[in-house]
């Protein structure tokens, strides 16, 4: 079977098998040439025609093959997998269709996820394990980074973020909220007395988590909603949640952070919760991915699993 290429034609292929092979051939030419314009020159077509062929192929197979950005073009995971098999698939459309769409009920391939260091090492691993147990054909690259990735340049499928997401180029799916409390080592508390009101906290030495607060923090009463701002001069500031916890355990100061990281220390008495009726505002927990209408099956399955598992985990943490 040969691929019918209409040189210079502005007519898009229909949905026939041979014409789908034309779309695949165009896709391979784009990858080999390195740009739409170079591929158009090779095919004797216009750049808009080549672009529409690529879009038609992506619509046909239901996944994004190439991500376009100001940094240029880069193959997605599906694109790399399709390109590796393209010559064979040109000879057999059915093999191509089965490989890209996934003939079975479960997704296969590799998922690249960026997660915050502390959460990614501990809190998010059990939900990840659930995902991998449900979909044994999946491999996951679990990348620890506290900053928003460049999805195209880094080849990342999605990221889990703690805190507000202001980037309009991504879709943010709210997974839940991360509650925060104020804690200190018992040695910092005079006569072991636990401060009950935020106004008593300003005179104690503070540790700052630079990502979310530096020289002031707002605490709200869990019953009345009253909010009080507590100013301070941090004795130590860090961008690491684990470093913050260690410093608190060593008695260097008091701090506010995610409730879950202190759970074992509070139970063991290594830390005490201060102003227990007051909490810092909860931080939104979101799963983000590039704004695109096309979601690979592996990403959809991951989103569903994280919404289910992390939602249950966060609810359990509030009890």
């Amino acid at each position: 079977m040969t691929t019918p290429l209409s040189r210079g034609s502005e007519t898009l292929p229909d949905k026939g098998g041979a014409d789908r092979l034309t779309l695949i051939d165009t896709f391979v030419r784009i990858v080999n040439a390195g740009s739409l314009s170079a591929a158009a020159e090779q095919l004797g077509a216009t750049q808009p025609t080549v672009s529409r062929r690529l879009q038609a192929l992506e619509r046909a197979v239901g996944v994004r093959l190439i991500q376009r950005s100001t940094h240029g073009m880069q193959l997605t995971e599906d694109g790399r997998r399709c390109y590796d098999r393209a010559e064979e698939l040109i000879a057999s459309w059915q093999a191509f269709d089965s490989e890209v769409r996934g003939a079975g009920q479960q997704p296969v391939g590799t998922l690249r996820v960026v997660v915050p260091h502390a959460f990614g090492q501990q809190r998010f691993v059990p939900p990840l394990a659930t995902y991998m147990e449900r979909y044994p054909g999946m491999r996951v690259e679990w990348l620890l980074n506290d900053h928003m990735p460049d999805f195209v340049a880094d080849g990342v499928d999605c990221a889990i973020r703690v805190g507000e997401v202001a980037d309009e180029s991504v879709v943010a799916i709210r997974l839940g909220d991360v509650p925060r409390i104020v804690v200190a080592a018992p040695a910092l508390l005079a006569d072991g007395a636990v401060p009950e009101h935020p106004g008593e906290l300003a005179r104690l030495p503070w540790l700052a988590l630079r990502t979310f607060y530096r020289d002031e923090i707002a605490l709200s009463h869990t019953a009345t909603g009253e909010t009080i701002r507590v100013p301070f001069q941090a004795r130590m500031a860090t961008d690491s949640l684990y470093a913050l916890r260690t410093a608190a355990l060593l008695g260097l100061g008091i701090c506010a952070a995610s409730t879950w990281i202190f759970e074992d220390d509070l139970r063991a008495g290594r830390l005490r919760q201060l102003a227990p009726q007051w909490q810092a505002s909860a931080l939104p927990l979101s799963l983000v991915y590039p704004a695109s209408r096309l979601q690979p099956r592996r990403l959809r399955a991951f989103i569903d699993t994280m919404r289910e598992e992390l939602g249950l985990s966060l609810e359990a943490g509030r009890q």
Side-chain angles (χ1 to χ4, degrees):
M1 183 181 296
T2 59
T3 59
L5 301 175
S6 301
R7 297 180 63 84
S9 172
E10 292 289 334
T11 303
L12 287 177
D14 60 30
K15 296 183 179 180
D19 289 325
R20 286 187 174 182
L21 293 176
T22 299
L23 301 181
I24 299 169
D25 184 83
T26 301
F27 164 62
V28 173
R29 300 275 190 135
I30 293 170
V31 175
N32 290 340
S35 70
L36 296 176
S37 58
E41 183 177 354
Q42 290 182 10
L43 293 169
T46 65
Q47 182 171 331
T49 295
V50 170
S51 178
R52 286 196 294 270
R53 286 180 184 172
L54 176 60
Q55 293 170 12
L57 179 59
E58 289 178 329
R59 288 195 299 270
V61 299
V63 294
R64 177 77 69 187
L65 299 174
I66 295 176
Q67 290 281 8
R68 277 81 80 188
S69 75
T70 55
H71 300 289
M73 300 191 318
Q74 181 170 325
L75 284 171
T76 64
E77 169 66 23
D78 292 296
R80 288 191 294 269
R81 183 158 50 91
C82 293
Y83 177 72
D84 289 341
R85 297 198 52 172
E87 292 184 359
E88 175 186 347
L89 296 174
I90 287 175
S92 174
W93 166 256
Q94 289 184 340
F96 176 81
D97 198 32
S98 175
E99 177 70 13
V100 176
R101 293 180 183 273
Q105 294 297 314
Q106 295 195 339
V108 296
T110 300
L111 188 76
R112 289 173 58 86
V113 186
V114 170
V115 291
H117 273 91
F119 284 78
Q121 293 180 63
Q122 199 168 343
R123 193 68 166 187
F124 295 163
V125 176
L128 170 65
T130 298
Y131 172 74
M132 300 188 73
E133 289 168 1
R134 288 180 180 175
Y135 308 108
M138 285 302 307
R139 300 178 302 278
V140 176
E141 293 187 23
W142 195 245
L143 310 173
L144 302 181
N145 195 316
D146 291 324
H147 302 287
M148 185 76 80
D150 183 324
F151 290 96
V152 175
D154 300 335
V156 171
D157 291 288
C158 66
I160 299 178
R161 302 288 298 157
V162 177
E164 296 292 341
V165 177
D167 189 345
E168 296 182 355
S169 69
V170 301
V171 176
I173 298 177
R174 189 73 163 260
L175 298 175
D177 296 297
V178 179
R180 294 185 295 164
I181 60 175
V182 180
V183 301
L188 277 180
L189 307 177
D191 302 323
V194 175
E196 297 291 333
H197 192 273
E200 303 174 63
L201 303 181
R203 65 173 179 264
L204 294 171
W206 270 83
L207 308 172
L209 186 60
R210 291 171 53 88
T211 314
F212 301 112
Y213 67 94
R214 300 190 179 197
D215 54 15
E216 183 182 68
I217 193 165
L219 300 178
S220 299
H221 195 278
T222 56
T224 67
E226 178 188 1
T227 298
I228 295 178
R229 306 196 75 84
V230 181
F232 57 83
Q233 184 174 0
R235 185 180 183 192
M236 169 189 166
T238 179
D239 60 358
S240 167
L241 193 55
Y242 280 139
L244 186 80
R245 171 180 171 268
T246 300
L249 288 169
L250 292 173
L252 297 183
I254 70 175
C255 64
S258 306
T259 306
W260 72 267
I261 201 168
F262 301 131
E263 289 173 345
D264 291 342
D265 301 314
L266 291 169
R267 281 193 292 267
R270 293 185 293 267
L271 292 174
R272 302 286 300 277
Q273 181 177 356
L274 310 187
Q277 298 302 314
W278 300 76
Q279 292 188 355
S281 58
L283 297 174
L285 178 66
S286 306
L287 187 150
V288 301
Y289 59 92
S292 169
R293 294 174 300 168
L294 303 175
Q295 291 181 20
R297 183 179 300 184
R298 66 180 185 276
L299 178 55
R300 293 198 303 270
F302 184 75
I303 291 171
D304 292 342
T305 302
M306 291 298 107
R307 294 180 84 166
E308 175 187 340
E309 294 295 312
L310 282 177
L312 293 173
S313 174
L314 292 169
E315 286 299 324
R318 291 192 181 96
Q319 299 174 0

